[in-house]
Amino acid sequence: MRISDMFIQSLKSLRRRRLRTLLTVLGVVIGTASVVTMLSLGYGMEKMTEDMYASYGSMNMINVSTPYNDDTKQLTDKTIAQFEKLPNVEFVSPTLSVNVILKQGSYTADTQLIGTTTRYLETIDLGSGTIPKEGELSLVMGNMIKIFFNKEHSRENYWESGVVPDVDYDKPLYIIYDTSKYYQAQNSKEAGNSGPKKYLINVAGVVEGDFETWNQNAYSIYTDIDALKSQLKTIFKKDPIPGQPTNKKGKPYGYFIYNEAYVYCDNMNNVVDVQQKITNMGYNASSNMEWLNQSKEQTNMIRAVLGGIGAISLLVAAIGIANTMMMSIYERTKEIGIMKVLGCDMGEIRNLFLIESGFIGLIGGSLGVGLSYLLSYIVNNLGMSASFMGLSGNMSLIPMWLGPTAVGFAIIISMAAGFAPSVKAMNLSPLEAIRNE
């Protein structure tokens, strides 16, 4: 018997018992849809978790800081060079934070200026403008910084009035680095106390988003670190720079000590390994990848539980297939006997029933995957996944490989369920089968 004849004969047999075939296929549809839908919820949860941590910053970045009350572990240029020599490190950006006063017209903001490298500034998504050129002292403003400007000599601010301060980034701002002298002048009643010197500074770019759109750079103001260090040296000369540690005699060190360092790896899969090496060097290190891996352990467990629940439905469907094929054998006993008398090969009889059960899996699996996509669409588009466990995004996600895999799995399960009945059909005695009514 040719393979094409076996396919045709199997389809004819299924069509003769339409109601039974329909009910059996329905069981496979429900089982397959249950497995795919349950797994899609797990994958959707994992994707929402990844997106959440990605919104906190780059997945390739490690944030390094000094341990509390340990003066021997300082982030200096020498330390940064050591980090750069670690395997799988692409680049390192130190950060130097300085408290400053920004002024424009009647508006004032007491804020922090962060100096960092051009490489780090290039990772920031800008809504307008450009990043400062290397060595250029200009600002990259966070998209939410504007709401922190207050009217001078007034309590009027965004938090009370709801009105965004009218600060124009196209115009220069005044920046004051010596904040202590500034507040002394504000509180001093001595005539002629004009306070510290003010410097004009331009805004080079603004972070993408409006004043209500949060991102990791929304509340920060950046500039080129080399330009900032040069400016601080010019202003304070040999005096201690505010925010920089001093020795036991109160004298400043001859070098800058950085607040943090951003270590970028060449691949997110290497982040945890590099992070461990930095921790072994005695520094505090954290990364979004570390937290993501911990969350993935939980989502993998949830996905396994959901997949197991769906697999139970498919197991029940497999029992239904075995029952259907066994009943088919009892109904077709005489037909099987005639096939054997006519010289049909035993293996062909077995394969005939295996093909029938395989067709049930193919039809049921395909319809089940189609039903899964429909259920996924309903979950994602009818407001059911707007917010789940503090996460946002599509609650159901079906990877491209999952559909074909589910269909193949349904076929294998169906053929496995039909194997025992097919062997029984193959072993029937020809004479007893012909005499069977």
Side-chain angles (χ1 to χ4, degrees), residues 30-76:
I30 295 172
T32 305
S34 299
V35 172
V36 175
T37 302
M38 291 298 182
L39 288 177
S40 75
L41 295 176
Y43 284 113
M45 190 184 304
E46 182 177 316
K47 183 63 167 60
M48 287 192 290
T49 303
E50 288 180 359
D51 291 343
M52 180 185 69
Y53 282 108
S55 69
Y56 296 158
S58 172
M59 302 304 295
N60 289 28
M61 188 186 80
I62 303 169
N63 190 300
V64 183
S65 59
T66 55
Y68 183 69
N69 282 342
D70 188 354
D71 295 335
T72 62
K73 296 295 181 182
Q74 296 177 335
L75 291 173
T76 62

Side-chain angles (χ1 to χ4, degrees), residues 155-204:
R155 292 185 176 181
E156 182 180 337
N157 57 59
Y158 169 78
W159 310 108
E160 294 179 357
S161 66
V163 178
V164 181
D166 187 21
V167 178
D168 188 356
Y169 289 151
D170 291 330
K171 298 178 181 179
L173 289 83
Y174 283 104
I175 185 169
I176 299 171
Y177 294 95
D178 197 338
T179 56
S180 298
K181 189 176 290 187
Y182 171 80
Y183 285 113
Q184 288 175 6
Q186 293 291 308
N187 299 325
S188 175
K189 297 181 180 179
E190 296 180 10
N193 190 350
S194 58
K197 186 175 180 180
K198 297 183 292 186
Y199 300 85
L200 277 175
I201 193 166
N202 293 316
V203 175

Side-chain angles (χ1 to χ4, degrees), residues 265-419:
C265 299
D266 54 5
N267 190 292
M268 61 187 294
N269 296 324
N270 298 322
V271 168
V272 175
D273 181 57
V274 174
Q275 180 180 340
Q276 185 60 52
K277 290 178 181 177
I278 294 174
T279 303
N280 294 339
M281 294 169 67
Y283 295 92
N284 295 330
S286 62
S287 67
N288 290 328
M289 198 64 199
E290 176 188 12
W291 304 118
L292 177 61
N293 286 340
Q294 293 179 7
S295 297
K296 275 188 174 182
E297 291 179 4
Q298 299 176 359
T299 55
N300 287 340
M301 186 180 301
I302 294 173
R303 189 170 65 229
V305 172
L306 293 175
I309 294 172
I312 293 173
S313 301
L314 195 56
L315 177 62
V316 173
I319 296 172
I321 294 171
N323 180 66
T324 297
M325 299 309 299
M326 194 65 73
M327 291 299 297
S328 179
I329 290 170
Y330 287 133
E331 291 175 354
R332 297 160 61 189
T333 301
K334 194 168 186 179
E335 177 186 333
I336 295 170
I338 294 172
M339 292 172 63
K340 287 190 173 185
V341 170
L342 293 176
C344 187
D345 185 79
M346 298 289 187
E348 291 179 347
I349 296 174
R350 181 198 60 206
N351 293 339
L352 184 65
F353 284 90
L354 284 177
I355 290 172
E356 283 187 29
S357 58
F359 270 125
I360 293 174
L362 174 63
I363 298 169
S366 300
L367 293 176
V369 170
L371 179 59
S372 302
Y373 277 101
L374 177 61
L375 293 174
S376 179
Y377 177 82
I378 293 173
V379 169
N380 293 333
N381 291 276
L382 294 185
M384 299 175 67
S385 62
S387 180
F388 178 73
M389 295 178 62
L391 306 174
S392 60
N394 288 334
M395 188 173 173
S396 176
L397 175 65
I398 302 178
M400 293 186 64
W401 59 266
L402 183 56
T405 302
V407 174
F409 186 65
I411 294 173
I412 293 172
I413 291 294
S414 299
M415 294 182 73
F419 181 75

